[in-house]
Amino acid sequence: MEAVFDNIRVVLVRPKYGGNIGAVCRAMMNGGLTDLALVAPDPQADWEDARRRAHSAVDVLDRACRVDTLQDALGDCAAAAGTTARPGLYRAHATTPREFAPRALECARANRVALVFGPEDKGLNNRELALCTDLLRIPSSGLYPSLNLSHAVYVCAYEIFMASGSFEPEGEPTGDAAIEQRERMYALWREVMAETGFAEPEKIDHMMMGLRRIFSRGRLSDNDVRILLGLARQTLWACRRRDGKNGA
Amino acid sequence: MEAVFDNIRVVLVRPKYGGNIGAVCRAMMNGGLTDLALVAPDPQADWEDARRRAHSAVDVLDRACRVDTLQDALGDCAAAAGTTARPGLYRAHATTPREFAPRALECARANRVALVFGPEDKGLNNRELALCTDLLRIPSSGLYPSLNLSHAVYVCAYEIFMASGSFEPEGEPTGDAAIEQRERMYALWREVMAETGFAEPEKIDHMMMGLRRIFSRGRLSDNDVRILLGLARQTLWACRRRDGKNGA
């Protein structure tokens, strides 16, 4: 899967702010991407700020290739997805990063694929969008649809990372508890209810239904049941010891 | 749906950098969220930088509520999802923002829900995570798993926005072309192949299969077919006029 990620290039066209370029480097690495091309970055860009914001992704910044035109950055790419926020003529054909992600991965198995982002203030122009094989529109609220540059890069890298299936959740450390184990636990809690006088004998069945409902609302692992069982057992022991003392 | 979004609060615990707080405001609005709580922000935080990075989301910053403890920020919430990057004991129970998003929306129909983020350097501590009803781990590459604060907020807001179904793609401006319309278009391109001498008569069927394959690879809208049909018609007209002239 690494080789596939190596085939995905992020292209920033005329970026203005060094801080954004640095934040893009970090966002790329968060999604497993390392190939960055900078097309005619602003001569005023603050490269110290870029290094600071790149944090541990400063290698991506150092290895970024610099070219004069978007065409130079896309020459060896078989697909290029240009991002656009403005509605309009050809922009109606845009897909979302989530829709594009599986296609990007499929294409990147054998080809280089580019994700293309315009300058912070104006985005990609029509000539630049025409060079792209795909248009991406990032879903966002009507409240404020314009994304920060590094957030736009991040969500594209994130969707590709998610689509790759590379993320392995740690999962529960133990399996789900079996009914037999749960029933032993409930039996002890029923004793606690009786022993502590929490409920009259004729009400205990009803209260136990409540407790079963509460404990059945989510998953219960082996570990969870061991904790609940231990707590009930210890409670019974403490109650009986106290009663023993009082009676002595 | 707006009321649901109004019930989702972003809580930043001991944030250090004003710039990050501002970027969080913008990321929140991109996902339709506006309720921000700041728990004991760093006294050195640069609030001018926060306003600058908030851009048009400066209202979110101005209306943010400030409290001293996480407990104060969560007092009226029925669910609180704490984000964590470090693996460990209870963190193994974490879910992803994509898994949590539908549950957040369901809960936010009648309750307040919080998304909780720790300080940039250390994240939430165990005492703070214990206050949360849910733990979130944001899928990210082993290359560099640690996200910038505003990126972490953004991806949670984005996943909730995506799960809400609020995003309506513009879609194609015209419907897909019908077979009848496609066949008229192919008939004209066949004439072009013959007229221009592009292919020997016995090869034309074979070349037409190639052209059909190319044009069938993606969707073809009414508009697309009109363009291709017009181009073929005009090409035939130009060829025949030239031939007429040459012959005159």
Side-chain angles (χ1 to χ4, degrees):
Chain A
M1 188 52 88
E2 284 75 17
V4 169
F5 284 105
D6 289 346
N7 272 342
I8 301 176
R9 174 180 297 162
V10 169
V11 181
L12 303 184
V13 179
R14 290 172 278 118
K16 296 170 80 76
Y17 304 109
N20 280 339
I21 299 170
V24 162
C25 294
R26 181 171 179 178
M28 285 172 60
M29 267 188 90
N30 291 152
L33 307 181
T34 54
D35 181 2
L36 174 64
L38 301 171
V39 178
D42 194 299
Q44 312 286 317
D46 180 345
W47 295 100
E48 268 320 296
D49 202 23
R51 298 185 72 80
R52 209 165 27 241
R53 296 277 300 282
H55 263 264
S56 305
V58 76
D59 268 10
V60 173
L61 185 64
D62 289 339
R63 290 197 311 252
C65 108
R66 293 211 197 184
V67 292
D68 292 328
T69 69
L70 177 55
Q71 212 154 347
D72 293 337
L74 300 183
D76 59 346
C77 298
T83 47
T84 174
R86 283 174 296 177
L89 194 55
Y90 298 110
R91 294 176 166 92
H93 302 260
T95 56
T96 64
R98 189 163 296 178
E99 290 165 332
F100 181 68
R103 289 201 282 130
L105 287 166
E106 169 64 28
C107 183
R109 287 167 61 184
N111 310 278
R112 204 174 298 282
V113 175
L115 304 167
V116 187
F117 302 84
E120 290 89 338
D121 48 355
K122 296 189 170 157
L124 296 168
N125 61 36
N126 282 339
R127 198 166 37 79
E128 289 156 347
L129 288 172
L131 283 175
C132 298
T133 55
D134 294 85
L135 298 187
L136 296 185
R137 178 196 295 281
I138 297 169
S140 54
S141 165
L143 283 184
Y144 189 6
S146 156
L147 266 70
N148 171 283
L149 176 58
S150 72
H151 290 169
V153 173
Y154 172 61
V155 76
C156 293
Y158 165 80
E159 285 289 5
I160 290 173
F161 183 77
M162 290 296 279
S164 75
S166 302
F167 177 69
E168 283 171 25
E170 261 187 84
E172 295 285 319
T174 62
D176 282 5
I179 296 289
E180 189 188 357
Q181 198 186 3
R182 288 172 197 246
E183 288 306 315
R184 267 189 288 139
M185 187 261 292
Y186 287 130
L188 278 178
W189 279 104
R190 167 179 277 276
E191 282 190 57
V192 170
M193 284 191 183
E195 185 81 23
T196 59
F198 171 75
E200 304 292 316
E202 68 275 16
K203 296 275 179 66
I204 284 185
D205 277 346
H206 181 69
M207 298 311 288
M208 279 305 294
M209 284 304 292
L211 206 64
R212 282 171 182 272
R213 208 172 55 228
I214 292 167
F215 288 146
S216 301
R217 213 156 269 160
R219 297 179 58 193
L220 270 186
S221 71
D222 274 354
N223 250 346
D224 298 335
V225 171
R226 242 191 294 275
I227 290 170
L228 293 170
L229 197 130
L231 181 60
R233 186 179 291 130
Q234 188 70 12
T235 304
L236 281 175
W237 178 83
C239 289
R240 286 166 183 167
R241 189 186 58 162
R242 191 202 51 196
D243 293 347
K245 267 186 191 161
N246 287 351
Chain B
M1 188 50 86
E2 284 74 19
V4 170
F5 285 105
D6 289 346
N7 272 342
I8 301 175
R9 173 180 297 161
V10 169
V11 181
L12 302 185
V13 179
R14 291 173 277 116
K16 296 171 81 76
Y17 304 110
N20 280 339
I21 300 171
V24 163
C25 295
R26 180 171 179 177
M28 286 172 59
M29 268 187 91
N30 291 153
L33 307 181
T34 54
D35 182 3
L36 175 63
L38 300 171
V39 178
D42 193 301
Q44 311 286 316
D46 179 346
W47 294 100
E48 269 319 297
D49 201 24
R51 298 185 72 81
R52 210 167 26 242
R53 295 277 301 282
H55 263 265
S56 305
V58 77
D59 268 10
V60 173
L61 185 63
D62 289 339
R63 290 196 312 251
C65 108
R66 293 210 197 185
V67 292
D68 291 329
T69 69
L70 177 55
Q71 211 154 347
D72 293 337
L74 301 183
D76 59 346
C77 297
T83 48
T84 174
R86 282 174 297 175
L89 195 54
Y90 298 110
R91 294 175 166 92
H93 302 260
T95 55
T96 64
R98 188 163 296 177
E99 290 166 331
F100 181 67
R103 288 200 283 130
L105 287 166
E106 170 64 26
C107 183
R109 288 168 61 185
N111 310 277
R112 203 173 298 282
V113 174
L115 304 168
V116 187
F117 303 84
E120 290 89 336
D121 47 355
K122 296 189 172 158
L124 296 167
N125 61 37
N126 282 339
R127 199 168 35 80
E128 288 157 347
L129 288 172
L131 283 175
C132 297
T133 56
D134 295 84
L135 298 188
L136 296 185
R137 178 196 296 280
I138 298 169
S140 52
S141 166
L143 283 185
Y144 189 4
S146 156
L147 266 70
N148 171 283
L149 176 57
S150 72
H151 290 169
V153 173
Y154 171 61
V155 76
C156 293
Y158 165 80
E159 285 289 4
I160 290 173
F161 183 75
M162 290 296 280
S164 75
S166 302
F167 177 69
E168 283 169 25
E170 263 186 86
E172 295 284 319
T174 63
D176 282 5
I179 297 288
E180 189 187 358
Q181 198 187 1
R182 289 173 196 245
E183 288 306 315
R184 268 189 287 139
M185 187 262 290
Y186 286 131
L188 278 177
W189 278 104
R190 168 178 275 279
E191 281 191 57
V192 169
M193 284 192 183
E195 184 80 24
T196 58
F198 171 76
E200 304 292 316
E202 67 274 17
K203 295 276 179 64
I204 283 185
D205 277 346
H206 182 68
M207 298 312 286
M208 279 306 295
M209 282 305 291
L211 205 64
R212 282 171 182 274
R213 208 173 53 229
I214 292 167
F215 287 145
S216 299
R217 213 155 272 161
R219 298 179 57 192
L220 270 187
S221 70
D222 274 354
N223 250 346
D224 298 334
V225 172
R226 241 191 296 276
I227 289 170
L228 293 170
L229 197 132
L231 179 61
R233 187 180 287 130
Q234 189 68 12
T235 303
L236 281 174
W237 178 83
C239 290
R240 284 164 183 167
R241 190 187 60 165
R242 191 201 53 193
D243 293 345
K245 268 186 189 157
N246 287 352

